[in-house]
Amino acid sequence: MALGGGSARGYAHIGVLAALHRRGLAPDVVVGTSFGAVIGALYALGHDPERLRADAEELRRRDVLPHIVDVGLRRGALFAGERLEAYFRGLVGDVRIEDLPRTLAVVATDVDTGERVVLREGPLAVALRASASLPGLFAPVDWGGRRLIDGGIGAPVPLGTLDGFDLDLTIGVGAGIEARDSRSLRVARRASASRVGRWVRRGLRGAGAQGSRRAWPTLGRALALTLDAWSDQADALAEGNDAAMHVQTRPPIHWLRFDRAAEAIVAGDAAFERAWPRFGAWLEGWSRTVAVAGD
């Protein structure tokens, strides 16, 4: 299962997990980016959907936002990110990704190359910070000689990351805002794809073309990656194919409304219920194939 970003909207992932568990199903592998990585990490730690739901519904914005703010302007971002990492460490402890009871992969983006980076080993709290480091908002995270930022830039729903695992069916869950639902996003996409927008993107990328690690060239590259992603993003999440299924949850809350987790969770549950006929039919066909192969 691949869980996308969306900040507080990502609580919808809990609803999808709950719908799976009601049917006695659970993912063998979870990959996540940004807030999806946070939900995936807690699930991989052994938190069942009911515990995730209870913890999420107790949260308020004042329980989150004041605890992640630390000035980081000298690093080309509004916040340095150390307090964000400390917040994640408070959630998951000092555990390493490879030691989790469930298989987890955290997806980030290399700010210097634009490449997707899949983290399967190392300190979990640091990986979560990297995957959630929105360009311009949080400074990049140093990881093995690379500088990592939000994984959602290259892959809002990191379904392709599951190709590296031996899986029969993969599910991608989206919780971000789609272009069809946001006039502002549609305007931003058109502006980014315009002649002037392309010129701006080239200029931002060129600001760090010599590999400079200074703050402002780094910010320029990060913003260029973000604009590229906006320009290339589809209007809506595709449904997938016979071996891969997308579920778009479309939670009715703002991305900073951590106090409205219950609504996002309900949206995720309902979205999977709507997708169940297709998913159930695939499972039935797969079961018949396995039975025949066993004979």
Side-chain angles (χ1 to χ4, degrees):
M1 176 177 282
L3 307 180
S7 194
R9 292 168 60 90
Y11 282 124
H13 299 316
I14 299 174
V16 174
L17 289 167
L20 278 170
H21 274 237
R22 274 201 308 275
R23 292 178 168 86
L25 302 171
D28 294 318
V29 177
V30 179
V31 304
T33 187
S34 195
F35 201 79
V38 177
I39 299 299
L42 294 171
Y43 183 69
L45 271 171
H47 297 195
D48 63 36
E50 287 309 308
R51 176 175 175 182
L52 291 173
R53 181 194 300 268
D55 289 344
E57 291 179 354
E58 288 180 358
L59 274 180
R60 298 293 180 264
R61 281 190 286 184
R62 64 176 179 270
D63 299 325
V64 179
L65 299 181
H67 300 285
I68 64 176
V69 174
D70 51 1
V71 178
L73 293 178
R74 292 184 178 179
R75 298 187 63 187
L78 184 60
F79 306 130
E82 281 84 1
R83 294 189 70 177
L84 178 64
E85 183 179 323
Y87 178 78
F88 287 144
R89 185 169 290 106
L91 291 179
V92 303
D94 292 318
V95 68
R96 295 178 63 83
I97 300 171
E98 65 269 27
D99 295 332
L100 290 166
R102 288 183 184 271
T103 301
L104 174 74
V106 176
V107 181
T109 303
D110 187 317
V111 70
D112 296 302
T113 66
E115 295 175 304
R116 180 176 61 188
V117 180
V118 181
L119 308 177
R120 298 185 60 182
E121 296 180 343
L124 179 57
V126 182
L128 294 179
R129 171 188 167 191
S131 186
S133 290
L134 289 166
L137 193 60
F138 293 103
V141 175
D142 291 322
W143 184 289
R146 307 184 84 162
R147 293 187 299 162
L148 306 182
I149 55 175
D150 189 349
I153 292 174
V157 179
L159 188 56
T161 305
L162 290 170
D163 293 343
F165 298 88
D166 183 18
L167 301 170
D168 296 302
L169 174 67
T170 58
I171 306 173
V173 184
I177 299 175
E178 292 187 306
R180 65 180 179 183
D181 300 323
S182 170
R183 183 175 182 275
S184 297
L185 184 56
R186 291 194 297 272
V187 170
R189 284 185 58 202
R190 286 197 295 269
S192 179
S194 70
R195 182 176 180 180
V196 173
R198 292 194 298 271
W199 177 81
V200 170
R201 285 151 55 192
R202 285 196 299 271
L204 289 171
R205 283 193 296 269
Q210 301 304 313
S212 172
R213 297 177 68 88
R214 291 182 299 148
W216 301 115
T218 296
L219 176 60
R221 285 194 297 272
L223 292 178
L225 289 173
T226 303
L227 291 172
D228 288 345
W230 280 354
S231 180
D232 296 338
Q233 193 178 71
D235 286 334
L237 194 65
E239 287 192 353
N241 53 45
D242 289 342
M245 185 175 76
H246 280 124
V247 178
Q248 178 54 273
T249 58
R250 303 176 76 182
I253 67 171
H254 186 270
W255 66 289
L256 290 177
R257 293 305 300 264
F258 294 97
D259 56 325
R260 295 176 61 183
E263 295 171 67
I265 294 169
V266 168
D269 197 319
F272 189 79
E273 288 298 324
R274 290 192 297 271
W276 173 252
R278 184 160 53 95
F279 184 66
W282 186 94
L283 280 180
E284 184 178 349
W286 177 79
S287 297
R288 287 197 299 267
T289 300
V290 171
V292 170
D295 292 341

